[in-house]
Amino acid sequence: MKSTGKSVIAGNAAYVRPIDFKKGRVEMGHGGGGRMTMQLIDTLFLTAFDNDILRQMNDQACFSVPAGRMVMSTDSHVVSPLFFPGGDIGSLSVNGTINDVAMSGARPHYLSASFILEEGFPLSDLKRIVESMAKAAHSAGVPIITGDTKVVEKGKGDGVFITTTGVGSVPDGIHISSELARPGDKILLSGTLGDHGIAILSLRENLTFHTSVQSDTAALHELVASMIQAVPAIHVLRDPTRGGLATALNEIARQSGVGIKLREDKLPIHEQVRAACEFLGFDPLYVANEGKLIAICEPELADKLLQTMRASPLGRDAAIIGEVIADPHCFVQMETIFGGQRVVDWLSGEQLPRIC
Amino acid sequence: MKSTGKSVIAGNAAYVRPIDFKKGRVEMGHGGGGRMTMQLIDTLFLTAFDNDILRQMNDQACFSVPAGRMVMSTDSHVVSPLFFPGGDIGSLSVNGTINDVAMSGARPHYLSASFILEEGFPLSDLKRIVESMAKAAHSAGVPIITGDTKVVEKGKGDGVFITTTGVGSVPDGIHISSELARPGDKILLSGTLGDHGIAILSLRENLTFHTSVQSDTAALHELVASMIQAVPAIHVLRDPTRGGLATALNEIARQSGVGIKLREDKLPIHEQVRAACEFLGFDPLYVANEGKLIAICEPELADKLLQTMRASPLGRDAAIIGEVIADPHCFVQMETIFGGQRVVDWLSGEQLPRIC
């Protein structure tokens, strides 16, 4: 029942004219639920995301699960600009939700994707984004099995917003959660800080600054799978996205009721990112990452976990960056390169709007 | 670890000033992922949606499931205006996704909710919407267990968009899907047509027309549960939302490879809705519903199913409105009140933009 490419179905749902993916633009009718919506689904989404469950074309997707613990995570993506060095809103929306599911130790199974399109948005850009999503989902082995498309009038949106939701299942015996950090635990980071945020900044209007830094957007579930195989007793996993490492660690400290002590000299940061941050007045601790994770475990297991992370391409720059301490105020502190101490506070306000 | 109301936490995550839910407005920082985002989550979302799973405050929610078939469904809600007679975007976004899950025969278990807020949106309106969502979720017994909040600049969104995703599990022995309609089957409709669309229209700008019609937004999962208990062999369930009854029946006809014959004299339509449609030139077959369902089953079971539906408050106006016929062209036809025949085609273009 599925059409491909520019074919036109006879009878029920005959399409008056094929969609022009070169020069065409999103029209209100693409979100009306009628013939134009069906045509867009047929020729774009079904063709790109093609899989057995999606092809059932019910208003919901049906799949089998084993008994046990499942996780669910959702994220709306409003990144601007839509295309940036190393990725686009499509790959970001797939990888971001896969990572949120994986940070519980779960194996991600399926994604849903819901689009809010702005009238007038070029269909060629939409096609490029959808194909990028499809590629990211295929490469991660996590299919997009259901979705929705809405259209808002020109000036009531901003090109395209994508909300992805993921489900996955947690292996038996794995208990990873942000309230499980304990004093004495070591804190590991899987790689360099701030690459995504600086890649986005490099494109923002009114910035004459240019760099070759690429977004680190990547799906981390295979790295996580290898980590929990080596060290099933990991206490906490978290991906430091919006608000950066500082915010993620403050959240963990607050939820676990502990303090955290970082060592600045151990933080992996690309030279270009460090230079860009100095030039622009940004602190790399607060700049967003989209392909990095924090792991916290007992000190005796930290070296084994570190070696496992470094054996993966997505963890080759991994480092032990600090430790968990007892602190009733739940502060995150950092020993600076110069031997001083500073408090690493929550992000106040908005440093980099629409980073993801 | 959760603050309530206007309390201010000491130490980690101390809030500089309480959120003003009377005169305050959404700021970019509410989507920054830092202190302001955390404060909004604490004082609004956690307080309203309060449940054990959400309170874990990980980037994903963890829950137990029995082995078997699960379903997942997602919908972005962009309805305009945000508040309308009988509901608002909050209750609509909860009920709409519960219904999409339930149309597989599944019992909905959990929802996620992701918000895209426009800078400058009144926090009092956001609070009203979130509390309406919480009330709808609580009343349906389907908790909101995880979510996300993003903020876009003024003029890049339209107040608030809400994407909800639902998961549920299908009881053993239930196989309901849009490709299972068979010639001879009877088509049942749970109640009156067009109430939601006309309620929205009554508020749209530039329309001087007024009516007392209320949106029919409602969660249908309890009705579905009683229907599948009485008639486990239901072939198809579908809620005729965007594009109305005409579009839903065309989708079913196409997916099942059958034709459909409706009887106009059997269609339940409120007098006010009929009058409004005549006045405005709308066809009630294409007007959206948010609390109605189509059921298709073998003719011998139709009376039992009809009686079961009528015994529920949400199905008291249920009627048998037509039957499935053999037709290689998969057309939907209607016998009119005057004894004529007309083809009920797909919705072309956009009749009522941003209806849900």
Side-chain angles (χ1 to χ4, degrees):
Chain A
M1 266 303 167
K2 183 171 71 71
S3 77
T4 52
K6 290 188 175 182
S7 68
V8 175
I9 295 174
N12 181 333
Y15 302 139
V16 178
R17 55 185 166 106
I19 295 183
D20 181 353
F21 282 111
K22 283 189 177 159
K23 294 180 184 169
R25 290 180 179 269
V26 170
E27 299 172 36
M28 293 304 293
H30 287 126
R35 193 188 297 275
M36 287 178 72
T37 306
M38 186 57 65
Q39 187 179 16
L40 188 68
I41 291 171
D42 273 354
T43 55
L44 181 57
F45 297 109
L46 276 186
T47 305
F49 297 153
D50 194 34
N51 61 70
D52 289 345
I53 302 176
L54 183 64
R55 225 175 290 121
Q56 296 165 0
M57 282 295 289
N58 283 309
D59 280 340
Q60 72 294 123
C62 188
F63 51 89
S64 293
V65 291
R69 286 173 302 145
M70 290 200 72
V71 295
M72 180 179 193
S73 186
T74 194
D75 253 340
S76 286
H77 296 83
V78 300
V79 65
S80 174
L82 297 169
F83 303 93
F84 46 81
D88 55 61
I89 191 173
S91 53
L92 191 73
S93 68
V94 167
N95 294 335
T97 293
I98 286 175
N99 292 348
D100 280 342
V101 169
M103 292 307 127
S104 64
R107 175 147 288 275
H109 292 314
Y110 300 109
L111 295 175
S112 67
S114 195
F115 296 79
I116 298 174
L117 308 175
E118 185 189 10
E119 182 188 17
F121 186 64
L123 286 169
S124 56
D125 283 350
L126 180 61
K127 186 161 188 274
R128 197 175 146 200
I129 289 166
V130 167
E131 286 172 352
S132 168
M133 290 183 80
K135 189 176 165 197
H138 184 78
S139 147
V142 184
I144 296 165
I145 58 170
T146 191
D148 184 37
T149 308
K150 294 282 157 60
V151 179
V152 295
E153 302 87 346
K154 192 159 180 64
K156 302 290 187 184
D158 195 16
V160 56
F161 302 140
I162 305 176
T163 302
T164 47
T165 307
V167 292
S169 55
V170 186
D172 283 342
I174 300 299
H175 295 277
I176 294 170
S177 186
S178 293
E179 81 274 12
L180 298 179
R182 293 290 168 263
D185 283 358
K186 294 290 182 189
I187 300 170
L188 293 83
L189 179 66
S190 67
T192 54
L193 284 180
D195 301 358
H196 176 72
I198 296 301
I200 295 283
L201 257 186
S202 73
L203 280 186
R204 287 267 168 90
E205 50 188 349
N206 301 330
L207 283 176
T208 51
F209 152 80
H210 287 281
T211 170
S212 59
V213 176
Q214 298 238 321
S215 167
D216 57 348
T217 178
L220 297 169
H221 59 312
E222 300 294 352
L223 173 61
V224 169
S226 68
M227 289 167 66
I228 62 174
Q229 191 173 22
V231 181
I234 294 171
H235 289 166
V236 179
L237 289 174
R238 193 110 181 178
D239 54 337
T241 55
R242 263 191 302 184
L245 181 70
T247 301
L249 289 178
N250 268 287
E251 285 175 6
I252 293 166
R254 181 191 182 204
Q255 289 176 254
S256 292
V258 297
I260 282 174
K261 196 159 190 176
L262 290 181
R263 285 191 48 181
E264 189 174 16
D265 62 341
K266 300 295 184 191
L267 295 177
I269 303 177
H270 275 141
E271 249 335 292
Q272 291 154 306
V273 170
R274 195 185 295 277
C277 281
E278 273 178 22
F279 177 70
L280 292 161
F282 284 104
D283 183 339
L285 290 176
Y286 294 89
V287 179
N289 313 278
E290 289 290 341
K292 299 295 158 33
L293 61 82
I294 302 161
I296 299 181
C297 69
E298 291 177 14
E300 308 81 62
L301 300 169
D303 276 331
K304 185 176 183 190
L305 189 56
L306 182 66
Q307 295 318 317
T308 305
M309 290 165 76
R310 285 185 173 166
S312 156
L314 292 172
R316 62 172 180 272
D317 298 321
I320 296 176
I321 61 166
E323 62 184 4
V324 179
I325 57 174
D327 177 358
H329 297 294
C330 308
F331 284 133
V332 179
Q333 299 175 62
M334 186 164 74
E335 190 178 310
T336 67
I337 295 175
F338 311 106
Q341 293 278 339
R342 59 171 273 212
V343 170
V344 178
D345 200 1
W346 289 74
L347 174 66
S348 288
E350 175 64 293
Q351 190 186 38
L352 292 170
R354 299 183 57 184
I355 202 70
C356 61
Chain B
M1 266 304 166
K2 182 170 73 70
S3 76
T4 51
K6 290 186 174 181
S7 69
V8 174
I9 295 174
N12 182 331
Y15 301 139
V16 178
R17 54 184 166 105
I19 296 182
D20 181 353
F21 281 111
K22 283 189 176 159
K23 295 180 182 170
R25 290 180 177 269
V26 170
E27 300 172 37
M28 293 305 292
H30 287 126
R35 194 188 296 275
M36 287 179 71
T37 305
M38 186 57 66
Q39 187 178 14
L40 188 68
I41 291 170
D42 272 355
T43 55
L44 181 59
F45 297 108
L46 275 187
T47 305
F49 298 154
D50 193 34
N51 61 69
D52 289 345
I53 303 175
L54 183 64
R55 225 176 290 123
Q56 297 166 0
M57 282 294 291
N58 283 309
D59 279 342
Q60 70 295 122
C62 187
F63 52 89
S64 293
V65 292
R69 287 175 300 145
M70 291 200 71
V71 296
M72 180 180 192
S73 185
T74 194
D75 252 340
S76 286
H77 297 84
V78 300
V79 65
S80 175
L82 298 169
F83 302 94
F84 46 81
D88 55 60
I89 190 173
S91 52
L92 191 74
S93 68
V94 167
N95 294 335
T97 293
I98 286 176
N99 292 347
D100 280 341
V101 169
M103 294 307 127
S104 64
R107 175 147 287 272
H109 292 314
Y110 300 109
L111 295 175
S112 67
S114 196
F115 296 80
I116 299 174
L117 308 175
E118 185 189 12
E119 183 188 15
F121 185 63
L123 286 169
S124 55
D125 283 351
L126 180 61
K127 187 162 188 275
R128 195 175 148 200
I129 289 165
V130 167
E131 287 172 351
S132 168
M133 291 184 80
K135 188 177 165 195
H138 183 79
S139 148
V142 184
I144 296 166
I145 59 170
T146 192
D148 184 36
T149 308
K150 294 281 158 61
V151 179
V152 295
E153 301 87 345
K154 193 160 180 61
K156 301 291 187 183
D158 195 16
V160 55
F161 302 140
I162 304 176
T163 302
T164 47
T165 307
V167 292
S169 55
V170 187
D172 282 343
I174 299 298
H175 295 278
I176 294 171
S177 186
S178 294
E179 80 273 13
L180 298 180
R182 293 291 168 263
D185 283 357
K186 294 291 183 187
I187 301 170
L188 294 82
L189 178 66
S190 67
T192 54
L193 284 179
D195 301 357
H196 176 72
I198 295 302
I200 296 282
L201 258 186
S202 72
L203 280 186
R204 287 268 167 88
E205 52 188 349
N206 301 329
L207 284 176
T208 50
F209 152 79
H210 287 281
T211 170
S212 59
V213 175
Q214 299 238 321
S215 167
D216 57 349
T217 178
L220 297 168
H221 60 311
E222 300 294 352
L223 172 62
V224 168
S226 68
M227 288 167 66
I228 63 176
Q229 191 174 21
V231 180
I234 294 172
H235 288 166
V236 179
L237 288 174
R238 193 111 179 177
D239 54 337
T241 55
R242 262 191 303 184
L245 180 72
T247 300
L249 289 177
N250 268 287
E251 285 175 7
I252 294 167
R254 181 192 182 202
Q255 290 177 253
S256 292
V258 297
I260 282 175
K261 196 161 190 177
L262 290 181
R263 285 191 48 182
E264 189 174 19
D265 62 342
K266 300 294 184 191
L267 296 177
I269 303 176
H270 275 141
E271 247 337 290
Q272 290 154 307
V273 170
R274 194 185 298 276
C277 282
E278 274 179 19
F279 176 71
L280 293 160
F282 283 104
D283 183 339
L285 290 176
Y286 294 88
V287 179
N289 313 278
E290 289 290 342
K292 300 292 160 28
L293 61 80
I294 301 161
I296 300 181
C297 69
E298 291 177 12
E300 309 81 62
L301 300 170
D303 276 329
K304 185 176 183 189
L305 189 56
L306 181 66
Q307 295 319 317
T308 305
M309 291 165 76
R310 286 186 172 165
S312 157
L314 292 172
R316 63 171 180 273
D317 297 322
I320 296 175
I321 60 167
E323 62 184 2
V324 179
I325 57 175
D327 177 0
H329 298 294
C330 308
F331 284 134
V332 178
Q333 299 176 61
M334 185 164 74
E335 191 178 309
T336 68
I337 295 174
F338 310 106
Q341 294 277 338
R342 60 172 269 214
V343 170
V344 178
D345 200 1
W346 289 75
L347 175 66
S348 288
E350 175 64 290
Q351 189 186 39
L352 292 172
R354 300 183 57 185
I355 202 71
C356 60

